[in-house]
Every structure is written in structure tokens, then in C-alpha cells.
Amino acid sequence: MTKQDQIATTEHRIVGTRPVRPDGADKVTGKAVYGADFYLPGMLRGAILRSPHAHARIVSIDTRKAEALAGVKAVATNADFPRVEMDEIDAGEAGINVDRAAQMCLARDKVFYEGQPVVAVAATSPEIATAALDLIEVRYEVLPHVIEIADAMRSDAPVLHDDLDAKGPSNIAARLDSSTGDAEAALATADVVATGRYTTQAVHQGYIEPQACVASVSGDGQAQLWCSSQGAFMVRSVVAAITGMNLADLRVTPLEIGGGFGGKTTVYLEPVATILSKKSGRPVKMVLSRDEVFRSTGPGPGAEIDIRLGATKDGILTAAIVDMRYQVGAFPGAGAGAGVMHALGGYRIEHKRVTGCDVVSNMPSTHAYRAPSAPQAEFAVECAIDDIARQLGMDPIALREKNAVRAGDTSFSGTPHGQIAFMETLAAAKGHDHYSAPLGPNQGRGIAAGWWVNHGGESTAMISIAEDGTAVVATGNPDIGGSRASMAMMAAEVLQIPMVKVRPIVADTASIGFSMLTGGSRTTFATGKAVSEAAAEVVEILKARAAMIWGVDASRVEWRDGEAHCLADGRDEAPLGIKEIASKASKTGGPISVEKSVYPHDAMPTYAVHICDVELDPETGHVGVTRYTAIQDVGRAVHPSYVEGQAQGGAVQGIGWALNEAYTFNKEGRVDNAGFLDYRMPVASDLPMIDTLLVEIPHPTHPFGVKGVGEVPIVPPLAAVANAVSAAAGMRMFDLPMTPARIHAALNAAG
Amino acid sequence: MSKQHIRATVNGDAVDFLCEPTTSLLNALRDELRLTGSKEGCGSGDCGACSVMLDDKLVCSCLVLAPEIDGRRVETIEGLAQDGQLHPLQRKFLEHGALQCGFCTPGVLVAAKALLERNVDPTEEETRYWLAGNLCRCTGYDKIIRAVLDTAAELRQERLPA
Amino acid sequence: MSYHSPTSVDQAVELLASRDDARPMSGGTDLLVQMRSGRLKPGAIVDIKGIDRAVGSRAQDGGFVIGAATPCTELLDDAALCAAWPGVVEAANLIGSVQVRNRATIGGNLCNASPAADSVPALIAAGARAVVAGPQGERIVAVEDLLAGPGWTTLGKGEFVLEFILPVREPGSADAYLRSIPRTEMDIAVVGAGINLSCDASGTITAARVALGAVAPTALLVPDAGAALIGSKLDEAALTAMGEAAKAACRPIDDKRGTIDYRIAMSAVYARRAAVIAYNRSRETL
């Protein structure tokens, strides 16, 4: 077995250790309550009738027979939603357009993809709800459909929406252009140029838990929702907007979330369940099937990317032209924006032009998927850099080191980069024993780098000290992969008490101040900052209470080893522990509790370099990953096991993206592989151990030096695997996924 | 449709419930018995989140009809810890951080226990193939495999004569 | 819908014959998925696992009888069966996951009639025959003759497959099955190849059957491919000729699991690789 390494910096008592997570026992015993595990008395079950067509006009909907079926308590269509303005809700990486979100819950005049919801039913059992769907008559006028990017951009393509493109009706939803210098001229004088058209397919986040919720609307207009999402406040915002409620009337309680990866930063079921509950007067539970998840929730977009990259013979990148087209699905979703930002943002290139556009087509509307839109763009760039290195006979890491951005360089936003750690991450990769290990026959090694901007965002934390000196830490961020642990650890570190004395919870929307959703790699960074600052204020209160007990000035109290120490001259007081202070709280001023809201804007980008070895069976085109190492700049790893887990999970999602995962559509534009059998995510036997090396260059202005870690690890694998396969095959692979059939065909075409 | 009356033993307890003939064992466990530790990730036997033991055999409970368990024994994740004591696998999963979201974890634990009952010294490759029917999207499997192999090592140690 | 668990062949036949939409169930790993997706709405399910003859494997007349509803993993517990028909057992144990194989059966794999069913090419190559029970009593049919097309068998109303008969094994005989899948587990075969051959003491092949999966509407027996091996010691020329015969027999489709070109090319590659395994195994039995 190989190792998990760490290049550590500062020392703490708790931060940087690996305690058992506070929510662990419930999660290994089956007690944890996820979206579908919640039940209420008198609860109905909802079901949804979906469009069988990829593109059609809804002519009529007749629900009378369904409503007459015994056990059916409510039927809903889009007409039950109050018509809303085209309001954007800021939900992090992908803003949510309320009107479009409503149409993805229940279609209005047209259906834009197979699987789009059309009618919803609530009944006394799932069987009756399903039976009722068969009684609903929807008449459609089927329209021509289009799926692929190139087809959707043709002048004679069926146009989905006539109001997207300012230049007149087309399927182009956005055009972006970012230029510096004269890229064409610089390319013409470059010593070497790498050229290619790279393609990737639409891929799903693949969270194992399908979306699920229970809605209960009271007669007075107040409502509650229990659901699995990446942000209860996001759910509240969108559901209230779609259903026309006051935000304070809707209380959203987050249940455990079974994976999201960006896919649960919007809602598909909750507004429907809410309307059904309102109409029936009873709680309504709705759960998606896996088939529905694939057909009706937002995957990550496919992309076509043309790149020309030029360099001098010394390996200085001088010019780049990148043009990207993102397949955003039925409505503008996760598009080229972040791709344009990220494509060349890791390198110093004097002359560059990056253009991008979002192309709508008749597939599910795309949504955020872990570092949304960056993996596609950086895949093309990192492959082209590999080609330059090969042309120059230069070590691919050395080439990147020559060109990598570093502190002081101008960032994409125009401000200079702070203490970014791309150079340190590259150096760590170059020094890793994997990089110099020998390869066997038919094996190839690829490396690729990647970066992600990371987000800050609003976070609230509340810390209450109980009478016995134990602490409750409440935040508004769902725990998607260990954040309760990191919050408790940071609080315990500041309070200087054992972690088992700190109990973290995820609060509902009525119990804590606003918190942006868990996404953008922001929670340990931003919410951790709120927790740290709240804990620091608690320490000040504890010192003041000790001062009061001792009758000294608060400035003469020091908090050390979880106890107040009296520094006042001539006083020889025994230290007061948190328990003693807390037990006297009622006599020293009352409850000890702090709520802290923060909105940091100083999130720093992080960098990753991945090394991938593959073995190719040249006769069949099969590729096996034989060794994989993820080297990542993490700022400070609060709980290294869960930081490593992020690097490993992101790497494997990227490996799946590179080798096998892709939406496929049939001639009618229907999803042809809406299940885990044919949407082929990696299984345990497909993989080696995923080694990690955490590079800890702390964030200079975060209390614990934390940087975002969750998203960047999915950026390098596409190119790392492609570069490895290309090395093994002796030819450049341009198209993902690199299935056995595709590799076999490429090898045969090359003779 | 008339409901069927099913009597079975679940985690050592005698249970009985009524269900439709088409109800899956998974739905019966969850909706009738409120044992919601077994999860539905796919409903088609492709993800393993609903893994349970049926008369000592590892199965996907979504691929068993509830009427089939009449008179038989079922063990679920809820039966893994005994008398409030975590099973060594549960303990090792926590120590290794072998779960992130935790949704696949019940199924993985049930499957891993079935492996170690057959083979207390599995290779990494055997472990990976045995668990190929349990999808995890968070961890990349690394820490899951380490936790299972580490548990196996501990169990072997315990079995050595003093 | 009703669920029935008969304990005798006669009861099962009566239930199956009583209505057009009755369906036999063994492991249920395909049936339940089809019911869940709404593709199939049977009026009655007749679970044949309660019938003694339908479950378990046993030696009979020098060969083997396998109950059609025997879970695939139980075949691994029969050491004599594994020694005599390793290809059949390994094919059955490539299906799905451990969880699935603890339920799935070769009877169900055959009657689900997927062109890509893993155990079917192995059974055809083995010369397996099926014991079919029905209103007219029992009949014995070659496995390849039960296949009609994707999702279709030649079983009549009220009929179900009760047992499989594997022939007597002579020294110098062995079988093997290999398949191409994009991942390492959990996939449906893109191409499957089953080989069963016998050789004499000198290593010369005296009999050979080659069957392919996922390259035509049903699994195929390819007599020309088998004939290409007979008389050889599995030299390159024989393997090439067999591969060419395999490719010539393919009539595949392009779909989400594979392309026509890839399937045709792989039929030869996997048939060759399986033949080498079967040949080496056969030499070990001499």
C-alpha cells in the first residue's frame, strides 16, 4: 500500500489531526436521516408525469380522470405557480433564474427535453400516484429537436427559445470574449504551436442519493420543507419565489445529503411538493428515481474546444487562442463563463484570446458540477501544453514551472495574486517518487495541472456554551463530506477544549442567520471563518466573566489551555475552566452565546497537479489506471482525512469523465443510458489506490490558513488521463470519453 | 390488489407486515418497518446502497420481492452494531474517514461484512471486485478499501491464539 | 398482480398456463428491473425457486444437471462442476455484482433473452440442453434453439425452463468464456465469446464449439469457427481462421454499448483469447 503525504506548516492541537467525525456513528449505523428517510403522519406520496418528447408544444392537459381516481388528493401543473418575473437568485456558482427553474419543476407551454415534468399528482400511496399518471392525457405538438453543439449552432437548427440571443433567434445563449495582446500575430511568430479540437460529453454529478423532500403547508400559509440539498437557504429562496411565499413563512430543515457535487445547488421537487401540499392540505413526500435523476436534473455540460497554443523554443508560452462552445442544455445553465476565466488563468501568456459561447439544445438543462466548466477548458489547455512539451523535448512539469502564475501576477479579476501556491505544487509533483518511477510495456504516464478560483460568500455560525462548559456550534451549511468535523475542530481549537466537548449541528433556516449554500469550496473557508470568529468572541466573553468572578479588569485575564488565568498583580487565583465559568453564567450576566455572520471576499485560488499511469491493451483499446497521485495546494488541512478524500473523490470523478462517462441520446433525443448500468461511473475494481500529497501553504488572512479544497481536484484528471493514454498509444487523444471502442478505432485509423 | 401478510425475522426480531405483491424488500424495510438505513440509489441492482443479507447471502433488497422473505431471515445495517457496540468495520470506517456523504456507507458495510465472513484475509484486488457492486461517488474508494483491509487485519489478529 | 411460490412443477405449469400475463421468476434480477421501469406489468409472478428440481446442481449420467433457478454463485460451490465446466461457471459469475449473482440464475439469464447474456454463449458452446416443463409435460431442447430474438424465446404458453443438462466430460476437454466490457465489473457484454474444445493426447483439437454473444439478435453458435480449430494444435493459422469465421458470423448493431466495427473486431480477439484459455485448461485435464 502506498501513502498519503502531507507537507505541513504550522502546529495546532486539534486542527490538522484526524478525529472521528461527530456525525459518524449515525452514518455507519443507518440512523442518519437523508432526504427519503423522513416521514410525517398523514403524508401523501407524489409522482410526476414527464415529457416523452425532446421538444414539443403542449397543446392540452386533461387531468380529470386522474383527479377522479380514489386516493388522489391533488394534481398540479405549472398553472398552479404564480407567474414570476425573470428574477435571478444568487445561488453561488450558478445563479438560478426563477422562471426557468419553475419550468424545470413543471413545464409551461413547451417541453424542451425528454423527462421534463409536466403534471404532478399526490395520492395516498405511491402505487395510486403512479396509476394516476397513466390517466392523465397530454396532447403534444412534437417539434424537431437538436442535441449536439454543432447541430444546434446551424442556421437551420430548431430554435428552443426565441429570446436568448440579442442577435436574433438562435440557440446561442451567451457570447464571451476575453483578449490580451495580439494572439494571432504572436502565434505566427511562435517557434512551436500545438493545435487541436477537443471534445467532452455531458456528464452527471452522479450523487448516489436521488433528490427527495417532504413539504407541509399549513392552512395559514406557513410551510415547512425537509429535504436534502446543498443549501437550505437556497431552497427557501427558490421555493418561496416560485410558489409566491414570504421567506419567513417557509422553514426549510436540511436533512443529511447523499452527495451533490453542485447538482443539489438548485431544486426540482420542492416547489412541486409544496404546491401539492398546499392543494391537498396534507404533507407530501416526493422522491426521484435514478431514471428521473438522469433525465431531469442538471448534468455538467459537454464542450467543444479549439485551441492553438504557441511557445518559444525555450518553452515560454507566448500566445494562445481558445474558442469554446458549451452544451448547456434546455435553458442557459452551467456555461462557458467559468471556462473562459479558467482556461489560461494558470499561466503567464502575453498574447491571448479566449472566446466562449453557451449553446442550448434539447437535453436536460445543465447545472453546476464540481468546479463547473473549468475541467473542460483546462482539459484542452493541459493537453496542448503536453504537446508543446513533447515537441520541445522538455519535461512537462518543467515547462509548466516556466510559465506558471505566481504571487504578484495579475489574476483574471485584474487584481494581483496573493500567496498562491502553484509553483510549490508543481515542485512537489516533480519531487514525488511516482513521477520518476519506471513504466512497463504498453504503459504511459500523464501529468496535468489545474486550478479553481474558489468562493467566499455569506456564512453564519452560532456558538452557545452550555452550563457544563460544553459547546454547541450551529451553522447554516449542510455537511456534505465532513464539515461538522472541521467546524467542531476549529471551534475546539479556538476555545482550547477537547473536540468531544463541542457538538456541531446544521441548523434550519429559522434557527440561524443566512448562509450561502455549500458549494464553491467555501464552507470550511467561509463558514469556518465565522465559527473561528464566533469562538474567539466566546473566549472574550469567558475572560470577561472570569474577570467579573475575580473582580479584576478583563485585560488581566489570559485564556490558556482552555482556562482563564488571572494575571493581576498580587493575585494568586486558581485558573477557572470553561465549566466553572459556564456554571456561574447566570450570576455573571446570563447566557454565553455568540452568533457571527461573515462575508469574506478574500478566497484564494488553489492548484492541483495529478500524475496518472495507465496501461493500454492495444488489441482491445482498454485502458486501466495503474497508479494515480493527486498533489494539491490546500492551504491548511483542518481534517486531513477529509481533505485527502476530496482529492481522491475528485480525481476519480475525473477519471470516470475521461474514460467512460457520457450521456448518450437516441434518434428521438431521449436519454439512452439513464441508469448506473450504462452511465458508467467508476467501480472499485476499476481503480488503484489514489495517493495524495497535500501541500500546505496557508491562506494568509484566514484564521487557520484554510483554502477551498473540494473542487480543484476534478480539474486535472481529464488531461492527466488523456496525456497518459496518448503517451501509451503514441498518438494524441482529443475526445472524451476515451472508451475502448474509441481508442481501438483511433489506433486502427493510425494503422 | 390485495395485500399479503409477511412474517419474517429482521435483525433477529420477529416482524410481520402487509404489502403489495410487487413491493420490493427495500420498500418494505423502509416504508413498512421504517428501517431506513438501507438506501435506494438506483432501484435496479447497480449501486448496492440497499445491500442486505437474506438468509446469509448478500443481495440487493431492491431486487427481492417482499413476499419472498416470508419465513426467512434478513439482516440490515441496523443490525450490524451489537448491544450498542460498533462492529469493527464501522469503527474502522470512522477511523479512516472512509465515508464522506455517508449515503452508500450502509450498503458498503453490509457487503464488506459479508466479504470478511467468507475471507478474513482478502487481497486488495479481491476486496475491490467484491465491492464493485457498491457505488461510491465521494471517496474514490481509496479509504473504503483501506478500512476494510485494516479491519481484516485486526480480525485476524484477534483470532491468533494467545 | 399476484405472487405465487409453487413447490411442484405441475403447480408452476398450471399457474403459468392459467393466464397470458403470468411470468416465471427465478432470481428476478431482470424481471424486477423491467417491472420497476414499467416495461413489464405481469399479472402473476410464479417464483420457481420453491421447486426442488429447479435449484442446485448434481452429477447425472456422467454429466451434470443444474437447476434453472440456481443462483450463479452457488455454482461455485460445486467443485466437480467447476472442474468440468469452468467456462460455464465463470460466465455465470461475471453477471452483475456479488449481490446480483447471489440472486441471478442461468435460467433467468437465458429466458431474459438478451443478446448479450453472459452465460448463454458459454452454455451453447458447452452443448447444454434445457429441460422445459409445460402443459404437455417435459421436453429437452438445445439452448441455442430456445432463442428467438432480443427478449424472445421459443417457449410456449405455460412453459418454463426447469433444468440444464451439461454433457459427459471426456479427458482433454475444457471450456472458457471471456467478454469485453468498458469497465472491470457491472457492465453488459459488448462482445462475449464461449469456447468448448477437446484435444487428444498429442494436443490436437478433436472437437470445438465456438459461441458469440452481443454480436447478433441472439447469441450465436458459429460452427465455422469451431471447425477452424479442429485438427490443429491451436497454432496461429487456426486461431486466425477461427477469428475470421467469428467475424464473418457477426451481425451486430451500433448502440450505447458498442459500435458495429468494434464488436466485429472484438469477436475475433475475445474468441482467440478464450480459445487459448480453454486449450490450456484442456491440456491440464490429460
Side-chain angles (χ1 to χ4, degrees), chain A residues 187-390:
Chain A
L187 270 176
T189 60
D191 293 327
V192 287
V193 176
T195 305
R197 169 169 291 185
Y198 292 85
T199 66
T200 73
Q201 302 298 311
V203 289
H204 200 273
Q205 298 87 353
Y207 38 81
I208 310 296
E209 181 206 30
Q211 278 83 350
C213 70
V214 176
S216 182
V217 180
S218 303
D220 60 0
Q222 296 188 70
Q224 292 205 67
L225 265 168
W226 294 262
C227 61
S228 149
S229 80
Q230 287 178 242
F233 287 92
M234 173 278 297
V235 174
R236 186 178 72 162
S237 304
V238 183
V239 173
I242 291 178
T243 62
M245 292 176 66
N246 295 327
L247 288 169
D249 285 342
L250 178 58
R251 180 178 181 180
V252 180
T253 301
L255 304 174
E256 296 303 329
I257 171 169
F261 314 107
K264 291 177 186 167
T265 58
T266 187
V267 299
Y268 299 98
L269 284 178
E270 288 82 352
V272 182
T274 301
I275 286 292
L276 288 171
S277 176
K278 188 177 177 184
K279 293 185 83 165
S280 64
R282 294 181 45 182
V284 175
K285 179 171 183 168
M286 300 191 80
V287 183
L288 287 185
S289 69
R290 178 55 51 184
D291 182 273
E292 291 176 306
V293 170
F294 274 111
R295 290 184 207 278
S296 69
T297 68
E304 271 182 16
I305 300 172
D306 293 312
I307 181 165
R308 286 183 288 153
L309 181 65
T312 67
K313 59 183 185 307
D314 304 325
I316 304 298
L317 300 177
T318 51
I321 296 183
V322 187
D323 180 59
M324 309 186 281
R325 300 165 294 280
Y326 280 70
Q327 183 187 25
V328 298
F331 298 95
V340 169
M341 175 179 183
H342 279 82
L344 300 171
Y347 300 100
R348 300 165 152 179
I349 301 174
E350 193 177 348
H351 301 280
K352 54 191 173 186
R353 176 159 193 220
V354 187
T355 49
C357 64
D358 295 353
V359 181
V360 296
S361 70
N362 297 107
M363 55 169 260
S365 186
T366 57
H367 204 71
Y369 177 22
R370 202 170 199 162
S373 300
Q376 296 92 328
E378 295 187 55
F379 159 58
V381 172
E382 292 292 322
C383 287
I385 290 179
D386 207 58
D387 287 349
I388 295 275
R390 194 171 295 106

Side-chain angles (χ1 to χ4, degrees), chain A residues 89-108:
Chain A
I89 288 176
D90 181 13
E93 288 161 346
I96 295 171
N97 176 295
V98 177
D99 179 57
R100 292 172 189 151
Q103 293 184 64
M104 286 183 249
C105 291
L106 287 169
R108 193 161 54 221

Side-chain angles (χ1 to χ4, degrees), chain A residues 28 34 37 39 205 644, chain B residues 30-31 39 90 101 143:
Chain A
V28 297
Y34 292 82
D37 301 338
Y39 295 77
Q205 298 87 353
E644 291 158 3
Chain B
R30 293 177 53 83
D31 287 341
K39 308 299 183 192
Q90 293 171 311
C101 79
K143 292 183 191 301

Side-chain angles (χ1 to χ4, degrees), chain A residues 20-34 37 255-256 479 484 503-506 642, chain B residues 35-39 77-81 84-86 90-91 93-94 99-107 109:
Chain A
V20 167
R21 60 195 281 172
D23 53 329
D26 278 0
K27 285 182 176 162
V28 297
T29 54
K31 289 193 182 80
V33 178
Y34 292 82
D37 301 338
L255 304 174
E256 296 303 329
D479 183 347
R484 284 188 187 85
R503 288 299 171 198
I505 67 141
V506 182
Y642 292 104
Chain B
L35 293 170
T36 56
S38 306
K39 308 299 183 192
I77 184 64
E78 286 90 348
L80 196 55
Q85 289 287 344
L86 293 183
Q90 293 171 311
R91 196 160 34 73
F93 267 57
L94 294 177
L99 56 144
Q100 284 177 34
C101 79
F103 191 78
C104 73
T105 307
L109 285 166

Side-chain angles (χ1 to χ4, degrees), chain A residues 134 289-290 617 619-622 660 664 672-673 676-683 685-686 740-741 744, chain C residues 36 41 180-188 190 255-259 261-262 265-266 269-270 272-273:
Chain A
D134 290 340
S289 69
R290 178 55 51 184
D617 180 337
E619 214 177 12
T620 67
H622 277 84
N660 273 311
T664 59
D672 205 20
N673 59 340
F676 284 144
L677 182 62
D678 286 302
Y679 183 85
R680 300 184 196 95
M681 309 198 314
V683 299
S685 51
D686 294 341
H744 182 263
Chain C
R36 164 86 192 234
K41 290 182 179 168
S180 165
I181 54 171
R183 292 181 291 191
T184 52
E185 277 278 81
M186 302 303 291
D187 281 332
I188 304 294
V190 176
D255 70 4
K256 61 193 170 191
R257 292 172 185 151
T259 61
D261 289 349
Y262 188 66
M266 289 307 107
V269 172
Y270 283 85
R272 285 176 64 119
R273 291 181 179 186

Side-chain angles (χ1 to χ4, degrees), chain A residues 149-162:
Chain A
I149 294 170
D151 297 338
M153 292 179 78
R154 289 165 56 109
S155 58
D156 60 350
V159 172
L160 276 71
H161 312 274
D162 48 19

